[in-house]
Amino acid sequence: MSKILIIDDDVDLTDLFQDYLQQEGFSVTVAHTGSNGLNLALSGQFDLLILDIMLPDIKGTEILTQLRRDSRLPILMFSARGDDIDRIIGLESGADDYVPKPCTPRELVARIRAILRRSETMTPDERPEPLSTGHLQIWSHKRRASWLGQPLELTSTEFNLLETLALHAGQIVSKTELSEKALGRPLARFDRSIDVHMSSIRQKLGHQIDGSSYIQTVRGQGYQLIKDE
């Protein structure tokens, strides 16, 4: 049974989601303040966090930043519908994905299962040897990656995106494919989630000698991981 933590000050909404998620087989804990929720999130007891950006005591983005210093806990962000600025800030701060408010319980469950499915550890015999391309090595079964021989700290979604690019190193991967494989959902119109995550990955990889990125944007087509052997 996957353990879900919800941090949101909307009591009626969290009661609704808690009841529905429990009916779907999840164990659900709710915190109505950011400070209490942050302590719970750092406890290591949960498999996924649902976090509202607007909280009465601590900004959701501050919670994201603090969590990402010490935890790889998958985070699904609640964002006001149409509020692109908060959404982008949340993704830049380390959220794996977002769901707009208001949303249906069914949509929330679908997003949760997509994230959990892609953050589960693979069995050792699926890919015991690391996937290697250039300076990058990825151990899919351990959900671990290294760059230039050093551990690469990635969120669950960043790991999925980079792994997908690595599997197709030197080839263009469309945003549609990246969204389906890394986020577990179809690419929505005007959705910038992939772009924001890619920006974060680029910063972590640094630049090539000539100053260019190891991940190239191919306008109108997608992204390409430079195959540097």
Side-chain angles (χ1 to χ4, degrees):
M1 179 182 292
S2 296
K3 296 181 178 180
I4 309 297
L5 172 63
I6 303 176
I7 305 178
D8 194 320
D9 63 329
D10 188 329
V11 177
D12 292 336
L13 183 67
T14 53
D15 284 348
L16 170 66
F17 285 146
Q18 184 174 28
D19 289 342
Y20 191 88
L21 290 173
Q22 288 174 340
Q23 292 175 24
E24 291 294 316
F26 296 99
S27 172
V28 182
T29 300
V30 176
H32 294 300
T33 65
S35 56
N36 185 32
L38 178 59
N39 289 331
L40 287 169
L42 288 170
S43 69
Q45 302 177 41
F46 299 96
D47 300 300
L48 182 140
L49 166 64
I50 302 171
L51 174 65
D52 188 17
I53 290 297
M54 301 299 294
L55 293 166
D57 55 338
I58 305 176
K59 290 183 180 179
T61 50
E62 293 181 15
I63 293 176
L64 280 167
T65 300
Q66 291 188 54
L67 277 175
R68 281 297 170 245
R69 291 175 187 157
D70 306 300
S71 171
R72 294 187 183 182
L73 176 69
I75 300 171
L76 179 63
M77 174 181 63
F78 272 144
S79 69
R81 187 176 295 277
D83 196 342
D84 289 335
I85 295 177
D86 279 349
R87 189 173 299 164
I88 290 171
I89 291 174
L91 292 171
E92 289 177 338
S93 299
D96 290 282
D97 200 4
Y98 69 90
V99 62
K101 278 185 174 183
C103 71
T104 65
R106 180 175 294 180
E107 179 182 5
L108 182 64
V109 168
R111 294 291 182 91
I112 289 171
R113 285 181 171 154
I115 292 175
L116 290 176
R117 186 166 56 246
R118 280 153 183 79
S119 62
E120 288 176 350
T121 301
M122 298 168 64
T123 56
D125 60 348
E126 288 187 86
R127 193 182 294 137
E129 297 299 324
L131 167 65
S132 299
T133 177
H135 305 306
L136 177 66
Q137 286 190 307
I138 293 178
W139 291 265
S140 297
H141 61 296
K142 297 179 181 178
R143 303 286 295 177
R144 185 165 63 85
S146 70
W147 179 253
L148 293 169
Q150 298 299 315
L152 190 58
E153 298 297 328
L154 301 166
T155 67
S156 177
T157 298
E158 289 171 357
F159 182 93
N160 296 335
L161 286 168
L162 188 55
E163 181 183 37
T164 302
L165 289 177
L167 286 167
H168 301 85
Q171 304 173 36
I172 300 170
V173 185
S174 70
K175 290 176 67 174
T176 297
E177 182 177 354
L178 287 167
S179 183
E180 290 174 349
K181 291 186 175 179
L183 300 181
R185 59 178 173 83
L187 181 68
R189 192 179 183 186
F190 305 123
D191 190 344
R192 295 185 58 193
S193 300
I194 299 294
D195 304 317
V196 177
H197 288 304
M198 285 297 181
S199 176
S200 176
I201 296 172
R202 281 173 167 149
Q203 290 180 25
K204 293 176 181 181
L205 298 184
H207 296 89
Q208 300 185 76
I209 295 176
D210 63 2
S212 62
S213 174
Y214 286 97
I215 297 178
Q216 297 292 317
T217 301
V218 183
R219 187 177 295 275
Q221 297 185 56
Y223 290 94
Q224 178 183 20
L225 177 66
I226 299 302
K227 193 172 183 178
D228 182 18
E229 300 294 345

